[in-house]
Amino acid sequence: MRGIPAGMAQQMGYHKITEVFRRFHAAEPEPKGELEHVNAYTLVVAVALSAQATDAGVNKATRGLFQIADTPEKMLALGEDGLIEHIKTIGLYRNKAKNVIKLSRILVDDYGGEVPSSRAALQSLPGVGRKTANVVLNMWWGLPAQAVDTHIFRFGNRSGVAAGKTVEAVERAIEDNVPAEYQRHAHHWMILHGRYTCKARKPMCPTCLIRDLCPFEDKTE
């Protein structure tokens, strides 16, 4: 992911950050991720498939897939070619199919078909990086893990809520700056705000919930 574009804001103060998340919480107390899944395994698969793809595109492909392959055992029975038939509308589908089959085999052989609940174990699976692991830890186990994607990276730097030149720096900034009572849902509030309001090219500043708190200089009118 690229570094901070010119003009990005400096770190926002603690009291303002607290107010940002108070407003997010007031507007949506229980924000939800948009990737469809039925259990921990299908969540891992969905997040792995979502790399360089939209959630909507992944959901369209996996609705039929998860009806017949919602466990690693069933996915292995479906096989790589069968999986490809379901996900060929998703970018990089061949490589993703290989990884899903490989991680399914590892889950069956090493974890009794269950998805592990540690970041290190999750990251050891093919096609599962730190972001994917954090999404699973947050969405399935309710842990305050912060999965930084392009939307969060952009919003964190524009607003000064979590400034950093790298994904890892922004992740640490969220952990350091966001009050504990908002940590669990911080990831979802930030990604949804970045996706639908603090957009890359034309941020919707006039209707932004935190416009008066945000120090971003290039606000739209």
Side-chain angles (χ1 to χ4, degrees):
M1 193 171 292
R2 293 177 299 176
I4 305 172
M8 285 299 181
Q10 296 298 311
Q11 198 72 53
M12 187 184 286
Y14 173 79
H15 294 294
K16 284 189 175 182
I17 292 175
T18 300
E19 177 61 15
V20 165
F21 286 93
R22 188 199 66 77
R23 293 183 189 182
F24 284 163
H25 178 269
E28 181 57 72
E30 293 288 333
K32 304 294 182 183
E34 297 184 323
L35 282 174
E36 297 173 5
H37 59 284
V38 297
N39 54 30
Y41 172 70
T42 54
L43 177 58
V44 171
V45 173
V47 179
L49 294 176
S50 71
Q52 300 182 49
T54 65
D55 287 0
V58 172
N59 290 338
K60 185 176 180 180
T62 57
R63 284 182 191 126
L65 172 64
F66 292 158
Q67 289 179 3
I68 61 174
D70 60 354
T71 68
E73 294 85 355
K74 291 178 183 178
M75 191 68 75
L76 291 173
L78 179 63
E80 187 175 322
D81 290 339
L83 173 56
I84 284 175
E85 285 302 307
H86 285 275
I87 67 169
K88 59 186 178 182
T89 57
I90 300 175
L92 306 175
Y93 68 90
R94 291 190 184 279
N95 188 56
K96 290 176 180 179
K98 291 180 185 297
N99 283 333
V100 169
I101 295 300
K102 288 179 181 178
L103 73 82
S104 298
R105 172 54 62 191
I106 292 172
L107 290 176
V108 170
D109 291 347
D110 297 347
Y111 297 98
E114 300 294 326
V115 175
S117 59
S118 81
R119 181 183 287 113
L122 285 167
Q123 285 188 245
S124 72
L125 300 174
V128 177
R130 185 178 181 87
K131 185 181 79 171
T132 298
N134 281 348
V135 171
V136 175
L137 292 172
N138 181 279
M139 289 182 64
W140 192 255
W141 283 286
L143 299 177
Q146 309 301 335
V148 178
D149 71 348
T150 184
H151 300 297
I152 293 177
F153 185 83
R154 178 177 63 254
F155 168 70
N157 279 295
R158 270 185 182 168
S159 66
V161 166
K165 294 183 178 180
T166 65
V167 171
E168 292 76 14
V170 171
E171 181 181 332
R172 288 194 301 272
I174 297 171
E175 294 172 346
D176 290 343
N177 300 338
V178 177
E181 63 265 33
Y182 299 123
Q183 283 280 334
R184 179 182 175 188
H185 294 311
H187 157 73
H188 284 126
W189 283 317
M190 294 178 74
I191 192 173
L192 293 172
H193 193 75
R195 180 177 291 164
Y196 296 113
T197 301
C198 195
K199 299 177 180 181
R201 294 186 179 180
K202 294 182 179 179
M204 300 172 65
C205 299
T207 59
C208 178
L209 190 65
I210 63 166
R211 177 186 173 92
D212 59 311
L213 301 172
C214 178
F216 183 53
E217 295 179 354
D218 298 325
K219 291 187 178 74
T220 57
E221 297 298 329

